Each structure stands twice: as C-alpha cells, then as structure tokens.
C-alpha cells in the first residue's frame, strides 16, 4: 500500500514539474486541430511581422524579405526561398518596407489553430492583485501552410499557451514567440 501511495505521489510531483515538457514532446507527434483561422486579405510581410487581415504574427529576425525580378514578394532563409505572390502595395517606415501581396489563384492556404492533447495543472500559480487564477495550462499552435502548384511550400508554426479559468474556459496566452519555419522547394 505504501509503495502505491509513494508511486502516485512521485508521479504527481513529476507531472507538476515536467508536465509542460512532456506535453511539448508529445505535441511533435499528436495535436488536436480545433479552429480554422480566417484567411481574408490583405496579406503583407515586413521585417518583423506576417499580416493576415487584421491579425499580426511575429517573425524571426533571420529572414530575408525581397521582391524578385517579376515584382513578387519572396521570403528566404538559410538558402531556401519561397515566393508568395505579386506585389499589390509597398509602404515604408522607420522599421523598413512592408509588402502587401496577393496569393496566386491556385495557391492552397490553410491556417489552423491546434492544441495539445495533454494539459497540466498549475496549483501553485497565484495573482498578487486577486485576478482569476488559471488552474490548468496547455500548449496551442497557430499553423499556416502555404502550398504552390509547383509543390513549393512554406509552413509557419507559432507556439502559444492557453490557460483554463474555472467558470470561463480556455483562454489564449498570446505569447510573442517567433515561429518555426520550414521552406520546401
């Protein structure tokens, strides 16, 4: 009996301390898609953001943004490039150029919100100001996949975290984390 209680106690302590790491590892293989994000234009890129409609998503700093010879917006990283589409408008400010573009007619674009299969409890979280306290957390991911007829693809995955508030449900954390990007020629 004592061994069983000790085993359960050890498992609980492990889950409380490394639950986020276990969840993140499992998310490499399993996530649950639960929402299609809107894809209405305009589509735009600048040195630090990817803009879809009224939403803005942070980008890493090691990307190169340019126009090719046909005035099409191109994003490159680590020797690989992806061409989004023809330039519609270009604005410039102190942060640099912002390119608004149109997708090619046969582009396939999907923007999904996915969540972890596992969540973890947060019993030791507290609020100094008395705001509601989240009792559980889980990872969430915004995944943009853009495919060209040629087979070229670019995939962005923005990691985020959601918190569960009793009586209110799950809420996005809106973390400002740069995405994982994979370009396939």
């Amino acid at each position: 009996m004592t061994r069983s209680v000790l085993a359960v106690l050890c498992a609980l302590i492990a889950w409380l301390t490394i639950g986020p790491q276990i969840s993140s590892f499992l998310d490499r293989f399993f996530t649950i898609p639960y929402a299609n994000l809107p894809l209405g234009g305009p589509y735009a890129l600048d040195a630090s953001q990817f803009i879809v409609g009224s939403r803005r998503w942070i980008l890493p700093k090691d990307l190169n943004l340019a126009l090719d010879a046909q005035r099409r917006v191109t994003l490159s990283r680590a020797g690989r490039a992806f061409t989004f589409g023809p330039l519609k408008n270009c604005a410039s400010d102190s942060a640099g150029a912002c390119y608004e573009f149109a997708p090619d007619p046969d582009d396939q674009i999907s923007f999904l919100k996915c969540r972890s299969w596992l969540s973890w409890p947060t019993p030791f979280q507290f609020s100094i100001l008395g705001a509601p306290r989240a009792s559980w957390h889980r990872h969430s991911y915004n995944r943009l996949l853009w495919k060209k007829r040629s087979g070229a693809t670019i995939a962005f995955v923005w990691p985020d975290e959601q918190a569960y508030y009793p009586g209110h449900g799950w809420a996005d954390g809106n973390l400002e984390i740069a995405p994982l990007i994979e370009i396939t020629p």
Side-chain angles (χ1 to χ4, degrees):
M1 178 72 167
T2 306
R3 285 185 178 177
S4 300
V5 171
L6 187 59
V8 167
L9 186 60
C10 287
L12 179 62
I13 290 170
W15 188 242
L16 290 174
T17 56
I18 62 171
Q21 292 84 0
I22 294 169
S23 177
S24 184
F25 174 75
L26 292 174
D27 289 348
R28 295 178 191 174
F29 310 104
F30 311 103
T31 57
I32 300 169
Y34 69 94
N36 283 317
L37 297 173
L39 285 169
Y43 296 94
L45 282 166
D46 68 20
S48 64
Q49 301 179 89
F50 187 80
I51 303 163
V52 178
S54 63
R55 299 184 82 168
R56 297 172 181 270
W57 305 94
I58 191 170
L59 289 175
K61 304 209 181 299
D62 64 341
L63 299 176
N64 295 316
L65 185 60
L67 292 176
D68 67 9
Q70 291 82 29
R71 297 190 46 83
R72 297 169 61 78
V73 177
T74 302
L75 185 71
S76 61
R77 181 185 205 191
R80 294 186 174 197
F82 185 85
T83 302
F84 285 97
L87 180 69
K88 289 176 61 177
N89 190 17
C90 181
S92 195
D93 61 15
S94 61
C98 180
Y99 300 107
E100 185 179 334
F101 58 93
D104 289 323
D106 51 355
D107 286 358
Q108 296 176 356
I109 310 164
S110 64
F111 208 171
L112 292 175
K113 192 166 196 75
C114 301
R115 66 172 179 83
S116 289
W117 184 65
L118 292 175
S119 54
W120 60 93
T122 54
F124 306 115
Q125 189 178 50
F126 66 94
S127 172
I128 295 172
L129 300 176
R133 185 184 68 80
S135 58
W136 289 83
H137 281 247
R138 69 182 177 198
H139 297 291
S140 67
Y141 305 91
N142 296 301
R143 298 175 192 256
L144 175 70
L145 181 61
W146 196 301
K147 291 182 183 180
K148 294 290 191 179
R149 183 177 58 175
S150 67
T153 63
I154 188 166
F156 296 89
V157 179
W158 287 274
D160 199 353
E161 195 172 279
Q162 295 178 322
Y164 181 79
Y165 296 94
H168 299 284
W170 290 99
D172 286 328
N174 297 316
L175 300 175
E176 291 289 322
I177 298 175
L180 306 169
I181 299 174
E182 185 177 322
I183 300 173
T184 307

